[in-house]
Amino acid sequence: MFMWVFGVRSRAIHLTAYLKYIARMSSRLAQVPDVEIDSGRFKYVLIKVHDSPEGGEETSKMIVRGYNFADWHADVYDHTCAQVEKLGLDTECVGGGRILHDPDKKTIQVFGYSQGFGKADHSVSVDILKKKYPDYAKITWSDDGY
């Protein structure tokens, strides 16, 4: 059984196939966690992940990444790109900064900027972090510091 969108057979899109297509697109993005951060003080980047299937509509989402091992913001971005590109997705670094994450006190502070990528929109980063850590006492951002 199949249903038609638009009702005109020559221009119609098979609804079942369309829904499978949408599910396939969103499932690739869903495989990418919104947040991966360490504890302590470290550099972070805000990344836009794109799913641009050939002949299809682009979908995207923002993710936050920050790791203690990274000496440079580019190290965080390169590490993330390697993982995300394996899924057939594209990335774009939209900025960076620093994070101070204290899991014991349940606090996260987002601040500063990246010399290479510019300053991330910390308010967007904090919104993403608040979804990942809803039980945290305080997740804030500031344009101060480096």
Side-chain angles (χ1 to χ4, degrees), residues 16-28:
T16 304
Y18 179 72
L19 292 174
K20 286 180 184 177
Y21 166 75
I22 294 295
R24 188 172 59 250
M25 280 193 329
S26 60
S27 70
R28 291 200 306 184

Side-chain angles (χ1 to χ4, degrees), residues 20-132:
K20 286 180 184 177
Y21 166 75
I22 294 295
R24 188 172 59 250
M25 280 193 329
S26 60
S27 70
R28 291 200 306 184
L29 280 176
Q31 292 178 50
V32 180
D34 293 343
V35 176
E36 283 184 9
I37 62 170
D38 290 336
S39 57
R41 182 184 176 118
F42 48 86
K43 295 179 180 179
Y44 95 95
V45 291
L46 180 63
I47 300 170
K48 186 173 186 178
V49 181
H50 305 267
D51 188 0
S52 306
E54 193 172 314
E57 222 176 289
E58 178 180 295
T59 56
S60 64
K61 74 176 191 175
M62 302 293 269
I63 63 173
V64 174
R65 295 292 185 271
Y67 305 110
N68 286 321
F69 71 78
D71 292 327
W72 305 96
H73 291 92
D75 295 335
V76 177
Y77 182 61
D78 291 344
H79 176 77
T80 304
C81 284
Q83 296 173 331
V84 171
E85 288 174 357
K86 289 178 186 175
L87 299 172
L89 301 169
D90 298 316
T91 61
E92 171 189 356
C93 185
V94 296
R98 293 179 185 262
I99 289 178
L100 180 57
H101 180 198
D102 187 337
D104 295 331
K105 293 182 181 176
K106 295 192 176 214
T107 62
I108 299 174
Q109 296 173 340
V110 181
F111 59 95
Y113 62 94
S114 163
Q115 290 181 342
F117 297 117
K119 186 181 83 62
D121 184 339
H122 298 322
S123 66
V124 171
S125 301
V126 165
D127 287 344
I128 296 167
L129 290 165
K130 284 180 176 180
K131 290 177 190 168
K132 170 73 175 179

